[in-house]
Amino acid sequence: MNEKLQNAFCVQINKELYSAYLYLAMQSYFKDMNLDGFANWMSVQVQEELAHAMGMYNYVFERGGKVELMSIEKPAGDFSSPLDVFEKVLEHEKYVTSLINDLTETAEEVKDRAAISLLQWYIKEQVEEEANVSNVLGNLKLAQNDPRALLLLDRELAARTFVAPVIG
Ligand code: FEO
């Protein structure tokens, strides 16, 4: 496997693990507020991010490469409201989308067709992630000043379940 591309995958594995860590911090915020449905949504998100990281981790090994693990940055934990949390989630997912695009460009640069093909899955996943988050954010904007609406949304988010993705 091309070394530059392998390193770029290692950086992205770290970013996916950071994403899991960030969403775990958000899960803690919601648990502390007794908003268990929101906490459940975040818990599913944590598992999704771990799956994203492992998809890349396994891929590098499949290609005969090696994964160098790096330190995971401390996530922010100072959220002012559920709306603030979801605004940050959307901002973060847009950032991750830009990282996946950069990683794809590196794969294109070194003409690694198998990696480009794998990354198509991640590109599509990002479209879905951003759409899901925008949806919750839109609902939150409507519910934010109405505790009953917030509790209804909490109940709705309690139904989210983790389905292990088939990556690639
Ligand atoms: Fe792994 Fe939420 O992107």
Side-chain angles (χ1 to χ4, degrees), residues 25-46:
M26 292 172 171
Q27 183 182 341
S28 305
Y29 170 80
F30 286 122
K31 278 177 91 69
D32 196 43
M33 286 185 85
N34 293 315
L35 286 170
D36 292 342
F38 282 92
N40 172 65
W41 193 97
M42 285 298 166
S43 141
V44 173
Q45 199 67 13
V46 169

Side-chain angles (χ1 to χ4, degrees), residues 16 23 45 49 52 93 96 126 129:
E16 299 291 343
Y23 296 140
Q45 199 67 13
E49 298 305 345
H52 295 168
E93 286 302 331
V96 172
Q126 281 311 119
E129 292 249 294

Side-chain angles (χ1 to χ4, degrees), residues 62-166:
E62 261 173 36
R63 297 291 303 278
K66 266 191 193 160
V67 172
E68 190 196 336
L69 295 174
M70 301 160 201
S71 313
I72 303 169
E73 198 187 319
K74 182 178 173 172
D78 53 336
F79 307 112
S80 59
S81 65
L83 183 65
D84 176 47
V85 172
F86 272 85
E87 277 170 344
K88 285 179 172 141
V89 176
L90 186 58
E91 193 184 316
H92 183 69
E93 286 302 331
K94 284 183 175 172
Y95 169 62
V96 172
T97 298
S98 75
L99 295 175
I100 297 287
N101 289 341
D102 291 348
L103 181 55
T104 308
E105 270 173 33
T106 305
E108 283 165 355
E109 221 178 275
V110 304
K111 298 188 169 54
D112 187 326
R113 294 192 190 286
I116 295 167
S117 163
L118 173 83
L119 288 166
Q120 295 309 311
W121 183 88
Y122 283 89
I123 290 170
K124 277 190 232 145
E125 175 73 358
Q126 281 311 119
V127 172
E128 216 174 281
E129 292 249 294
E130 285 191 30
N132 280 344
V133 176
S134 296
N135 187 273
V136 180
L137 188 58
N139 287 342
L140 258 178
K141 279 182 182 159
L142 293 173
Q144 60 169 329
N145 295 319
D146 178 350
R148 272 190 9 196
L150 190 69
L151 286 177
L152 270 177
L153 184 54
D154 186 62
R155 214 174 289 167
E156 198 184 301
L157 298 185
R160 187 184 189 198
T161 53
F162 175 67
V163 180
V166 180

